[in-house]
Amino acid sequence: MSEHVDRASEPFRFAEARHRRGRWGWMVLCAFLLLGLCASAAPATSSPLIARCELEGVVDAGSGAYLADCVKRAEEQGAQALLVRLDTPGGSLDATRAIVRAFLGSHVPVLVWVGPSGAHAGSAGVFIALASNVSAMAPGTNIGAAHPVGARGEDVDQVGGEQLARKIENDTVAFAEGIARQRGRNPEWAAAAVRDSASVPADRAVELRVVELVAPTEAAFLTAVDGRRVEVADGDTVMLSTREARIVSLEPGLSQRVVHALAQPSIVYLLFLVAALGLVVELSHPGAVAPGLVGTVALVLALVASATLPVRSGALVLMFVGLGLIIAELFVTSGLLGAAGTGLLILGGVFLVDRFEPGWFVEPSFRPSWAVMLPTALLFAGAAAFVAYRSAQTRKLPQRGGDAGLVGEAGTALGPVTPSGGEVFVHGERWSAVSFQPIHEGARVVVRAVEGLTLTVTEAMP
C-alpha cells in the first residue's frame, strides 16, 4: 500500500523539484543582470570629468566673457580640470586681464593646449597661456610677440608719444612677469616677449620653461599630465586625473557668440560698406524702405563690432567718401570718380584697424583680408561702371515715352483724315489726327508732330 502511495506521489515530487530549480534559475539570472548593470554603471560614475572650451580668433569682449564663464561652469560641475584649446593672434588687453583673473582664481586646474599644428598663441594669447596651470603646444605651433606697440617703436606717436608708450610697456612687462612667477614659468622670457616681441616654436618653448609639454593632440596632452600635482586658488594642491577622462564641451552663450563673430576686421569692413550703401540709396530714393532698413541694421552691427575693435575713425571717413564717389560716378560717368572711390575703399580697409592701440595686443596680420577688400571694392566699382555704361547707352536711344516718343510711329487711319480732323490708331491707342493732305480710311500713316492730344500725320509711302 505504501509503495503504491509513493509511486502515486512521485510525479508531484518531480514537479516540485522542477519548480525549485526554475526559481533558483531566475534568481541567478537576476543576480547576473544586476551585476552587469553595476559593472556598466561603475565606469560612468568613476570616470573623471574634463570641461573643454575653445578660444579661436581674436581675444575680445565676447571670447573673454566666454572663457571666464567656462571657469565658473567647470567649478559648478565639479570638473577635474578645464581644458582650453588656444589659437589666437591676440586682442583686447581688458578681455585678456579678465581671462587671466579667472584662470588665476580658479579652483579647477586650467590646462591650455595651443593647437592644432599651425596654430599660435600670439600677443595677448601669451598671457593666457602663462596663466594656465599646465600648458602644452602641438608641433608646428609658436608662442610670443606680445609687444603692445611697434617692435622698434616706429608707431609710438600713434599711441600718445614716447612717455606713454614706455609706461604701457613697463606695465605690460610687470603683468607678464607676475603671471609667469605665480605659475613657475620663465619670467625673463615673458618680459622679452613684451619688450622684444620674442616668439618661439613649441620645442624651444619647453626648453625655456614657457610651457611644460609638446603634445600632438588633446588626448595625448591629457594622458601626459595624468597624476601631475598643481596648485589652484587659495594654495590648494590638486592631483590631476585626466587619463581616459569624459570630456564635456562648454558652448558660448548667444551674446558671447555674436560679439565674437562680429569682432573680425573683415566683418566690420563689410558692415560699414553695406550700411553706407543702404543709407545713401534710401536718401536718394525716399520711401524705398528696404535699403534704409538694411543700412540701419548694418550700421548698428558695425558700431557694436567697432566697440570691441580698435577701429580708426579716419579709415571710416575714407570708406564713406570712397563709396560716395562711386555713387557719384553713376551721374557723371567720367571714370575718374569711380577709380578714386575704389582706391579710397581699399585704403580705408588697410587703415581700418589700429593695431597699435595701447589697449590691444595683436599681430600684424590682424586686419581686413585682401581677399575681402579687393573683391568688395572691385565689385562696387564694377557695378557702378556697369550702371553708368547702361545709362549712357539709354541716353543715346530715341525717346520711346511721352509725346516725343510718338513722333515717327506708324499707325492706321480709322476713317478719312483731313486738315479739319479725323482718327488714327497709333501705338495701341485711338488718337485725334489732322493731315495737310487728305488720307483715306485704312491707309498707313506716320506721326510727324504731337500737339496736346492731336497728332499731325502724313500718309506712309508705299
Side-chain angles (χ1 to χ4, degrees):
M1 185 71 174
S2 61
E3 181 180 354
H4 177 71
V5 173
D6 291 340
R7 289 178 179 177
S9 62
E10 188 172 338
F12 296 99
R13 289 198 298 272
F14 287 150
E16 184 179 359
R18 285 197 300 272
H19 178 69
R20 285 198 300 269
R21 287 197 298 272
R23 185 170 58 188
W24 278 104
W26 278 108
M27 293 176 63
V28 171
L29 179 61
C30 290
F32 275 113
L33 288 175
L34 183 61
L35 288 175
L37 290 175
C38 293
S40 62
T45 56
S46 61
S47 178
L49 172 67
I50 301 294
R52 179 185 180 276
C53 59
E54 296 183 359
L55 173 54
E56 185 170 358
V58 64
V59 181
D60 52 61
S63 57
Y66 167 53
L67 285 189
D69 187 49
C70 283
V71 173
K72 181 180 178 181
R73 291 161 64 184
E75 291 176 343
E76 293 174 348
Q77 294 179 8
Q80 173 66 211
L82 172 64
L83 175 63
V84 179
R85 185 180 75 82
L86 185 63
D87 181 11
T88 176
S92 167
L93 179 59
D94 290 338
T96 302
R97 288 186 181 275
I99 296 172
V100 170
R101 282 195 301 269
F103 282 11
L104 296 181
S106 173
H107 292 85
V108 171
V110 179
L111 314 176
V112 169
W113 180 66
V114 182
S117 296
H120 62 319
S123 298
V126 174
F127 307 115
I128 297 174
L130 291 175
S132 65
N133 294 97
V134 185
S135 288
M137 298 173 65
T141 59
N142 66 285
I143 184 172
H147 200 285
V149 291
R152 290 183 293 274
E154 67 276 17
D155 290 284
V156 163
D157 293 339
Q158 299 185 34
V159 294
E162 185 177 354
Q163 295 300 322
L164 177 58
R166 185 178 296 112
K167 179 181 178 180
I168 294 171
E169 182 181 278
N170 291 337
D171 181 68
T172 310
V173 167
F175 181 43
E177 287 181 332
I179 299 172
R181 286 195 174 93
Q182 182 168 346
R183 291 307 194 194
R185 296 194 172 96
N186 189 338
E188 289 78 14
W189 182 89
V194 177
R195 294 190 188 280
D196 305 320
S197 294
S199 180
V200 292
D203 52 354
R204 182 60 177 160
V206 174
E207 295 176 6
L208 293 173
R209 293 188 300 110
V210 178
V211 300
E212 284 72 30
L213 301 166
V214 174
T217 63
E218 294 179 11
F221 179 30
L222 294 177
T223 300
V225 299
D226 184 65
R228 183 187 291 259
R229 291 186 176 275
V230 297
E231 184 177 311
V232 295
D234 300 331
D236 298 333
T237 301
V238 177
M239 187 177 72
L240 296 175
S241 178
T242 54
R243 188 185 297 272
E244 298 180 357
R246 181 166 54 97
I247 299 177
V248 176
S249 295
L250 305 179
E251 299 298 331
L254 179 61
S255 61
Q256 298 166 355
R257 195 188 300 271
V258 170
V259 172
H260 184 59
L262 292 177
Q264 306 293 333
S266 297
I267 299 296
V268 177
Y269 179 78
L270 292 176
L271 285 175
F272 273 115
L273 285 184
V274 171
L277 181 62
L279 295 177
V280 168
V281 171
E282 180 64 29
L283 291 175
S284 59
H285 298 79
V289 179
L293 180 61
V294 172
T296 301
V297 172
L299 180 60
V300 171
L301 293 177
L303 292 176
V304 171
S306 62
T308 64
L309 291 178
V311 174
R312 288 188 176 100
S313 58
L316 295 180
V317 173
L318 288 177
M319 292 166 54
F320 275 89
V321 172
L323 189 60
L325 291 177
I326 290 177
I327 294 175
E329 179 67 30
L330 302 180
F331 305 96
V332 179
T333 64
S334 67
L336 296 178
L337 294 181
T342 303
L344 290 181
L345 285 184
I346 296 174
L347 193 63
V350 171
F351 292 107
L352 180 63
V353 176
D354 185 2
R355 295 186 296 101
F356 307 105
E357 170 70 29
W360 279 73
F361 298 83
V362 288
E363 295 183 342
S365 60
F366 186 70
R367 63 183 178 215
S369 170
W370 285 103
V372 172
M373 287 191 298
L374 282 179
T376 302
L378 293 177
L379 177 64
F380 275 92
F386 176 77
V387 172
Y389 172 73
R390 295 295 295 174
S391 299
Q393 281 189 326
T394 302
R395 284 195 289 269
K396 294 178 182 179
L397 295 175
Q399 186 173 344
R400 296 295 183 184
D403 294 345
L406 290 173
V407 176
E409 290 287 332
T412 304
L414 297 177
V417 180
T418 65
S420 60
E423 283 191 333
V424 295
F425 187 80
V426 178
H427 213 274
E429 296 178 318
R430 298 171 69 99
W431 292 85
S432 297
V434 295
S435 175
F436 297 112
Q437 300 293 329
I439 301 174
H440 62 85
E441 181 181 354
R444 297 289 295 170
V445 298
V446 177
V447 179
R448 299 304 181 186
V450 179
E451 185 175 352
L453 297 177
T454 303
L455 307 182
T456 299
V457 297
T458 60
E459 187 173 358
M461 299 297 294

